Amino acid sequence: MKTSEMNDSDILAFHHSILTIDTHMDTPLRLKHEEIDLGQRYDPRQIKSKVDFPRMNQGGLDAAFFAIWTPQGLRTDSAHAAIKQKALDIIDLVREKLADYPEQAEIALVADDAQRLATENKHAIFMGMENGFPIGTDIQNVNLFYERGVRYMTLCHTSNNEICDSSNDTTEFGGLSPFGFQVVERMNRLGMMVDVSHLSDASVADVLATTKAPIIASYSCSKAMCDNPRNINDNLLTQIAANGGVVQMCLYSEYIKPEAPNPDREAIRGALWKKYGDPALIEGEQKLAYRVEKNAMDRTNPQILPSVSEAVDHIDYIVKLIGIDHVGIGTDFDGGAGLSDCFDVSELPNITKELVNRGYSKEDIRKIWSGNLIRVFREVESLAL
Ligand SMILES: [Zn+2]
């Protein structure tokens, strides 16, 4: 059956029949702070959680990269040692939480694990490291994290680190640092994918000039469509295509379109910050009190989120510019993402529906949902020394 002949139930059946991979989920944060149990179903409007096995099953998501995220801190030896330990602890936490559900999921280490585990009706959980800060200044740490199961590394987060300049910080190295070039070379050698999301344009250009393997942007959108420093401009998109890489479209609202002014919500949010401090750091009973007030704000002054259609506009744009072989999906669920009609992982089929309605073929949709990423991942593996 051609996609043009599909009705809604055909689309849903097709979505569940294909291999789907999401390259960016911050679920480890929720495992840690909300102590969520992956086997239990949560309501994303009650608790900050958009990913669990029941909702992954409903949303037809086979495989995911869980982000081992660490915030950027001081670039001192002691801070590097502390954050390295923290990243290792998060990896252990992911492994522990998955060990409770051996029938439902496994840690995945090679590209082919995605399809193998999907065939066994299990979720393949890969690990990607979001921020190279835990590498510090010791190249051997790249090997260490690879050995612990990390299969991509986002070289930086929202600040510069020892590896490169960030898109949200000032120019320090003018791209990769001398150490950063070594890191890219080591990642190529190990077979770890280089992730350029969060990097400054000059850093991305340096990575492209250095890498021997195709690269990924694990969750980024088009800068021409939405002028956010985190998004990727046409020139770099074209270069990523020439490199054979892939850009994974993200569902984070500010990367899809600039937020419309909402002064009432801003005022309440400001008051909550004043009262509780940074929401990410609230502990104990305060957390519950904060959540009650935050939920009340979301009811009275909801954030106006972009739609699936506006997100898929980014896919259309990238496909028109560089072709169907260089785009995929990395939602950023559990890291702040959500659309009005794709608020958590259970609603992913709405993306497939939109792609079908826009005339993408089955083959195109397979490439977007996993084919392109798997191609890159395999190539990175085959080029490892
Ligand atoms: Zn993240």
Side-chain angles (χ1 to χ4, degrees), residues 24 26 67 130 219 332:
H24 201 104
D26 280 296
E130 182 178 12
Y219 71 129
D332 197 30

Side-chain angles (χ1 to χ4, degrees), residues 180-205:
F181 283 98
Q182 286 180 46
V183 169
V184 170
E185 192 206 322
R186 181 62 60 95
M187 290 171 76
N188 282 171
R189 206 164 352 136
L190 289 167
M192 190 191 285
M193 292 184 281
V194 181
D195 177 15
V196 298
S197 288
H198 282 295
L199 272 61
S200 74
D201 291 352
S203 297
V204 181

Side-chain angles (χ1 to χ4, degrees), residues 1 5-17 349 352-353 356-357:
M1 189 190 298
E5 296 159 356
M6 286 180 174
N7 62 31
D8 280 1
S9 75
D10 297 328
I11 295 171
L12 197 60
F14 168 65
H15 177 84
H16 280 274
S17 77
T352 301
K353 202 167 150 185
V356 167
N357 291 340

Side-chain angles (χ1 to χ4, degrees), residues 45 259-262 264-266 268 294-305:
R45 289 179 169 84
E259 198 174 339
N262 195 344
D264 291 349
R265 184 178 165 91
E266 281 315 308
I268 301 171
K294 158 95 172 39
N295 288 347
M297 172 181 76
D298 287 338
R299 275 192 302 276
T300 54
N301 296 81
Q303 187 188 2
I304 301 152
L305 294 171

